[in-house]
């Protein structure tokens, strides 16, 4: 039996039955009965903006899968580059497909000298690296004139490769500039994540050898951040992409959305919060402040997850591996205490507030030596694969331009009053 809902217009008595398909009801059916009456849904709390086959997320059960594969298995067995292929192509690559993919990404890591010398070096000395990244990604569209050919499969593929390959180079360039260090060119003999670490940390050694535990931990974090279905930045990517803008401009918009403290900036906010709390003894007082509504517990709560974020569980384990190399981040004990108290407190239990992906990731980044300003940049690098997978899916679905309606609540018609008469 097909499941359905029935809507009755009480003004006319007319009814319409709408089938429930894959957990959704088509708003276009509703519009047939009620033209001009809009769903009022600020923040899209109850709106599915598209059909998607990329990421499955069950927030109640704490399940996250990319293309059907559980995030736990991918984090344990895969690599970021393989996951990027999976997100974009729908299937895991064969060995030869992976080798071709790895080779193409590796040989597109260089950026045009003008991007670095004229563009990035034009920023003020203390520019935020995320601001630099947003602008640099947008600027790339001016270097690749074929970027506008979004329906040419070969041109589209080229931009996807370029974007995934160049994000770490731009990110590292922004970091080196902000700390006054010279730019490091990509080393094509290194894997994706080790190459990124080399561009970040290399000083005078002929070849930078990343600590394999740290390189793997960062790769796991990249896997965990690669996609998260219709989050704020992915929605920005889809909305801008729906106007048929080139993928660099759409990715820059997604980066800009990720910049905010409610989204990609939350792990930075977590570290600032932990530094403000200072010691375990101050944790109960801070929790009391959160409960009074004065502040939010950063890294807690999620629009979709109403149980423990599965990514946070994996990150917590990864943190142990990292701290075995770097030494324990002194803020860890405060974080653990906060979690312990919050998870047993009625305020957090009744609101289903659990640690999210950002609660522990910042502690790892900080222990690895990343400055706080780099945290959203570290998020943007892997999320680029997810953004592009959604952009591509949207174009292939021949979707309409994003153009929501509004419910107007302003003044009725009134006549203009000349300045001297006001
Ligand atoms: N600390 C204290 N109370 C909270 C928190 C928190 N972190 N998050 C939600 N609440 C309370 C909120 O006050 C409200 O309580 P009440 O019903 O009494 O008014 C209730 O929980 C529901 O909150 P909401 O703001 O309506 O929930 P939302 O789905 O709109 O917001 C959120 C989701 C992630 C923006 C929010 O939980 C938050 O601000 N968290 C802290 C920032 C953070 O960690 N962001 C990272 C999100 S995960 C990574 C990503 O997606 O980028």
């Amino acid at each position: 039996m097909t499941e359905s809902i029935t809507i009755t217009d009480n003004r006319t008595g007319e009814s319409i039955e709408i089938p429930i398909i894959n957990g959704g009801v088509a708003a276009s059916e509703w519009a047939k009965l009620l033209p001009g009456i809009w769903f009022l849904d600020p923040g899209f709390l109850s709106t599915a903006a598209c059909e998607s086959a990329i990421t499955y997320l069950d927030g109640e059960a704490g399940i996250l899968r990319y293309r059907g594969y559980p995030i736990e298995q991918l984090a344990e067995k895969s690599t970021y580059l393989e996951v990027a292929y999976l997100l974009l192509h729908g299937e895991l690559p064969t060995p030869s497909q992976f080798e071709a993919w790895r080779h193409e990404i590796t040989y597109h890591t260089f950026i045009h000298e003008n991007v670095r010398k004229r563009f990035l070096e034009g920023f003020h000395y203390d520019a935020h690296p995320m601001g630099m990244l947003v602008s640099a990604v947008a600027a790339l569209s001016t270097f690749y004139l074929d970027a506008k050919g979004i329906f040419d499969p070969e041109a589209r593929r080229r931009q996807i490769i370029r974007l995934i390959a160049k994000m770490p180079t731009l990110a590292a360039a922004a970091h080196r500039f902000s700390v006054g260090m010279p730019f490091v060119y990509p080393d094509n003999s290194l894997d994706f994540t080790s190459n990124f670490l080399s561009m970040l940390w290399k000083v005078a050694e002929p070849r930078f050898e990343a600590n394999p535990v740290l390189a793997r931990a960062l790769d796991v974090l990249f896997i965990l951040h690669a996609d998260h279905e219709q989050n704020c930045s992915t929605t920005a990517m889809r909305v801008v992409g729906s106007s048929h803008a080139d993928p660099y401009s759409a990715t820059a918009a997604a980066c800009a959305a990720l910049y905010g403290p409610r989204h990609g900036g939350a792990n930075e906010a977590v570290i600032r919060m932990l530094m403000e709390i200072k010691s375990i003894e101050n944790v109960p007082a801070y929790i009391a402040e959160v409960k009074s509504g004065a502040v939010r517990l950063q890294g807690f709560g999620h629009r979709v997850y109403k149980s423990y974020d599965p990514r946070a569980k994996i990150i917590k384990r990864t943190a142990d591996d990292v701290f075995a190399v770097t030494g324990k981040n002194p803020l860890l004990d405060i974080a653990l205490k906060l979690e312990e108290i919050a998870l047993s407190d009625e305020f957090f239990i009744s609101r289903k507030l659990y640690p999210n992906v950002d609660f522990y990731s910042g502690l790892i980044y900080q222990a690895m030596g990343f400055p706080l300003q780099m945290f959203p940049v570290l998020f943007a690098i892997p999320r680029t694969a997810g953004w592009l997978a959604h952009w591509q899916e949207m174009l292939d679905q021949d979707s309409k331009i994003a153009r929501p309606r509004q419910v107007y609540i302003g003044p009725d018609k009134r006549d203009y009053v000349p300045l001297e008469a006001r």
Side-chain angles (χ1 to χ4, degrees):
M1 192 191 76
T2 321
E3 294 186 324
S4 66
I5 58 161
T6 298
I7 297 171
T8 304
D9 182 348
N10 292 332
R11 298 167 305 177
T12 60
E14 265 185 81
S15 285
I16 190 166
E17 187 182 348
I18 310 180
I20 301 173
I21 299 169
N22 294 328
V25 288
S28 55
E29 293 297 313
W30 156 283
K32 283 182 198 161
L33 174 71
L34 296 162
I37 305 281
W38 310 117
F39 285 112
L40 179 59
D41 188 19
F44 309 124
L45 269 84
S46 311
T47 299
C50 62
E51 289 182 311
S52 180
I54 299 170
T55 287
Y56 175 78
L57 209 175
D58 180 337
E60 293 294 332
I63 294 172
L64 174 62
R65 297 181 198 135
Y66 296 160
R67 301 283 189 185
Y69 294 101
I71 192 68
E72 294 79 8
Q73 291 183 23
L74 294 171
E76 192 190 331
K77 298 178 180 152
S78 188
T79 60
Y80 166 66
L81 220 48
E82 188 180 57
V83 164
Y85 184 100
L86 171 69
L87 289 169
L88 282 151
H89 297 85
E91 297 296 336
L92 287 167
T94 63
S96 62
Q97 285 169 334
F98 182 72
E99 185 42 35
W101 173 247
R102 191 199 61 74
H103 185 273
E104 275 202 295
I105 298 285
T106 306
Y107 285 86
H108 283 86
T109 48
F110 276 61
I111 48 175
H112 194 289
E113 276 296 279
N114 281 355
V115 177
R116 178 176 75 82
K117 280 199 180 140
R118 311 231 166 218
F119 193 78
L120 290 176
E121 291 188 1
F123 280 97
H124 202 245
Y125 72 95
D126 60 354
H128 194 294
M130 192 64 176
M132 293 174 75
L133 185 73
V134 170
S135 328
V137 172
L140 283 187
S141 73
T142 66
F143 287 82
Y144 302 109
L145 299 181
D146 58 341
K148 293 197 186 310
I150 58 173
F151 292 109
D152 169 353
E154 195 39 44
R156 194 195 286 183
R157 201 182 65 83
R158 273 197 301 276
Q159 315 320 325
I160 289 175
I161 300 267
R162 284 175 177 145
L163 269 161
I164 291 178
K166 293 180 202 310
M167 283 301 269
T169 316
L170 291 175
H175 169 69
R176 299 285 290 202
F177 178 77
S178 68
V179 292
M181 297 278 283
F183 177 71
V184 176
Y185 286 92
D187 179 342
N188 289 347
S189 71
L190 297 172
D191 65 66
F192 186 87
T193 308
S194 303
N195 176 46
F196 175 52
L197 291 173
S198 162
M199 291 188 288
L200 282 164
W201 308 133
K202 188 171 161 170
V203 184
E205 61 277 47
R207 189 171 192 266
F208 181 83
E209 300 287 348
N211 181 302
V213 175
L214 300 188
R216 176 62 193 159
L218 192 58
D219 207 55
V220 169
L221 285 161
F222 281 178
I223 293 171
L224 300 181
H225 284 89
D227 193 45
H228 211 231
E229 48 117 304
Q230 310 306 318
N231 55 88
C232 180
S233 55
T234 302
T235 300
M237 181 88 186
R238 279 189 176 254
V239 168
V240 175
S242 79
S243 77
H244 292 175
D246 69 81
Y248 301 98
S249 303
T251 304
C255 277
L258 189 67
Y259 199 171
R262 281 172 154 184
H263 190 12
N267 48 12
E268 179 178 341
V270 170
I271 298 296
R272 294 197 189 283
M273 172 187 76
L274 296 175
M275 291 192 303
E276 189 191 322
I277 296 174
K278 274 201 188 85
S279 77
I280 289 195
E281 296 73 59
N282 298 333
V283 168
Y286 195 82
I287 292 279
E289 222 184 317
V290 171
K291 287 165 68 174
S292 77
V295 286
R296 284 204 164 192
L297 187 51
Q298 296 301 327
F300 256 70
H302 197 275
R303 171 62 57 79
V304 181
Y305 289 119
K306 299 303 167 199
S307 66
Y308 213 103
D309 183 335
R311 300 168 300 171
K313 273 189 203 156
I314 301 167
I315 288 184
K316 215 172 157 184
R317 284 199 300 272
T318 308
D320 294 334
D321 301 340
V322 170
F323 296 156
V325 175
T326 62
K328 193 171 80 176
N329 187 326
L331 298 174
L332 177 69
D333 290 336
I334 303 176
L336 289 170
K337 193 72 190 167
L338 271 174
E339 182 185 337
E340 183 195 314
I341 298 186
L343 292 185
S344 59
D345 189 299
E346 188 47 32
F347 176 92
F348 298 91
I349 295 169
S350 63
R351 289 171 179 78
K352 299 188 177 176
L353 300 172
Y354 292 86
N356 60 48
V357 67
D358 290 316
F359 194 64
Y360 289 105
S361 62
L363 290 170
I364 299 182
Y365 294 146
Q366 200 184 37
M368 282 178 151
F370 289 105
L372 297 193
Q373 292 192 333
M374 277 297 282
F375 291 6
V377 174
L378 293 167
F379 195 156
I381 293 171
R383 186 54 62 86
T384 301
W387 291 332
L388 289 166
H390 284 273
W391 172 74
Q392 184 176 247
E393 181 179 68
M394 178 207 58
L395 292 177
D396 288 345
Q397 289 170 337
D398 196 21
S399 68
K400 291 199 174 296
I401 188 167
R403 204 304 184 189
R405 296 296 185 133
Q406 63 169 14
V407 173
Y408 178 71
I409 55 166
D412 273 344
K413 177 179 178 287
R414 46 186 173 163
D415 289 326
Y416 178 80
V417 180
L419 187 59
E420 58 283 6
R422 274 176 243 156

